[in-house]
Amino acid sequence: MKKLTLRNAATLLVLLLAASVLAFGAAACGGDDDDDADPTATSETAATDVPEPTTGAEPTADDDHEGDIAFDASSATITVDGDSADWAAIEGATVPLVQIEIPEGVDWDEPNALDPVDATLKVATDSDNVYVLMEVPDDYDFVADDHNLSASIAVMFLIDAEAGPHMGAADDDLELGLGMVDIWHWELDCAADAISGGGDAGSGDDPDCNMDDEFATDPEEREDDGGGDAIVNPAAENSLVGGWSHTASASGNGADGTWIFEMSRPLQTGDTQDAQFASGGEALIALAYFDADESLEGWTDTGHLQSAESGWIEVTLP
Ligand SMILES: [Ca+2]
Ligand SMILES: [Ca+2]
Ligand SMILES: [Ca+2]
Ligand SMILES: [Ca+2]
């Protein structure tokens, strides 16, 4: 597995300190999709400047998006069932996930501290679909009727070339949306033996298992595809699927092990609120993990661990 390469640790540290604002989430990445943010210029811009879907022939971003982590996706057809056996021969990357430090003067709830974790990310494609495996070493927590007391994840993809890895914003100003990102946001409302995702077209909502297909333009502007006050997307494609498991689930909540989140979606969806992928192109990815042990009430919106401090994860598609 390829390891993280810190191109310039000193610079990164400065960035971490300087940009310790909300990143992949805060008010946005948790809970419901209520959008209580002000109708900012960012959302106005998004309403009138819907990006054209990128095609595989063109990379989804330019060289400005160099991050700390880059790897190649593999060619494979994966069974999305929460069993990672079909990924055994596929190489991925180690992705450090760290908690966001809420900056002074920003009116967000201060989370309870969580230790960083190293997630594993693998990506594969076949002629029709993109497949993503995210594994997180953490104890098992699943409570069927309260998803805040279960693990939750988000996988984010660049749509607009200028979008930053902090839900569309960049390190230097985390409240300034630079472009749209695609988000697969999974709160575990279904047990491990169910397949999550899907729902009515024209929406990103998964009414049964809460694996929603979303988009964001900045950390406070996040919606299900097709949702939001200003953006209309009746063509929203909604066939995202996921299966999950945990290696120690048989031992009950609190048992040490590894979460396995396996996901897939068509390479091309024709949906302006999705990233589009094709052979020879690039996927730019960021990850988030919500730990149910963060508080007695479970994970909070601002407390999640996230990868944006490493920049966009660059994945070259076969
Ligand atoms: Ca599988
Ligand atoms: Ca979609
Ligand atoms: Ca989307
Ligand atoms: Ca935990």
Side-chain angles (χ1 to χ4, degrees), residues 32-182:
D32 299 326
D33 300 318
D34 296 333
D35 178 11
D36 53 5
D38 293 335
T40 62
T42 300
S43 61
E44 298 275 343
T45 301
T48 56
D49 188 20
V50 175
E52 295 181 4
T54 53
T55 64
E58 306 169 12
T60 52
D62 55 33
D63 291 341
D64 293 343
H65 290 104
E66 287 181 358
D68 298 328
I69 303 167
F71 68 98
D72 293 339
S74 295
S75 295
T77 296
I78 301 294
T79 302
V80 178
D81 55 2
D83 180 346
S84 62
D86 37 6
W87 295 87
I90 294 175
E91 198 171 340
T94 299
V95 179
L97 303 181
V98 300
Q99 202 168 36
I100 300 157
E101 190 176 326
I102 307 298
E104 301 237 359
V106 174
D107 185 23
W108 293 324
D109 294 337
E110 191 66 34
N112 293 297
L114 293 172
D115 291 334
V117 299
D118 282 342
T120 298
L121 173 65
K122 298 183 179 183
V123 179
T125 62
D126 59 19
S127 58
D128 298 321
N129 298 307
V130 58
Y131 305 93
V132 174
L133 176 72
M134 178 177 172
E135 294 183 321
V136 183
D138 192 29
D139 64 318
Y140 178 65
D141 283 298
F142 178 72
V143 175
D145 60 358
D146 187 346
H147 55 229
N148 283 77
L149 294 175
S150 307
S152 173
I153 63 160
V155 182
M156 186 174 74
F157 303 89
L158 178 142
I159 297 176
D160 288 343
E162 301 305 318
H166 297 268
M167 293 183 71
D171 281 339
D172 54 355
D173 185 351
L174 295 176
E175 296 182 306
L176 176 64
L178 301 174
M180 187 182 291
V181 299
D182 184 12

Side-chain angles (χ1 to χ4, degrees), residues 127-308:
S127 58
D128 298 321
N129 298 307
V130 58
Y131 305 93
V132 174
L133 176 72
M134 178 177 172
E135 294 183 321
V136 183
D138 192 29
D139 64 318
Y140 178 65
D141 283 298
F142 178 72
V143 175
D145 60 358
D146 187 346
H147 55 229
N148 283 77
L149 294 175
S150 307
S152 173
I153 63 160
V155 182
M156 186 174 74
F157 303 89
L158 178 142
I159 297 176
D160 288 343
E162 301 305 318
H166 297 268
M167 293 183 71
D171 281 339
D172 54 355
D173 185 351
L174 295 176
E175 296 182 306
L176 176 64
L178 301 174
M180 187 182 291
V181 299
D182 184 12
I183 300 176
W184 302 350
H185 186 202
W186 197 356
E187 299 172 7
L188 299 185
D189 282 352
C190 288
D193 58 357
I195 296 299
S196 298
D200 292 339
S203 167
D205 184 43
D206 168 16
D208 297 323
C209 295
N210 211 1
M211 183 192 190
D212 294 336
D213 186 351
E214 304 177 346
F215 68 98
T217 50
D218 69 54
E220 294 183 310
E221 295 286 345
R222 181 180 61 86
E223 296 283 353
D224 289 344
D225 291 357
D229 297 331
I231 299 174
V232 177
N233 181 17
E237 197 269 358
N238 195 18
S239 67
L240 180 65
V241 295
W244 68 269
S245 65
H246 187 280
T247 58
S249 57
S251 299
N253 283 352
D256 284 335
T258 299
W259 289 96
I260 297 166
F261 301 98
E262 196 174 32
M263 297 153 271
S264 180
R265 195 209 71 183
L267 291 164
Q268 297 278 323
T269 66
D271 181 343
T272 56
Q273 292 162 348
D274 294 335
Q276 307 299 327
F277 310 113
S279 180
E282 189 177 52
L284 293 168
I285 301 177
L287 303 177
Y289 174 72
F290 298 75
D291 187 341
D293 295 311
E294 185 200 333
S295 77
L296 290 177
E297 292 77 36
W299 53 261
T300 71
D301 290 350
T302 53
H304 60 290
L305 301 163
Q306 47 84 47
S307 72

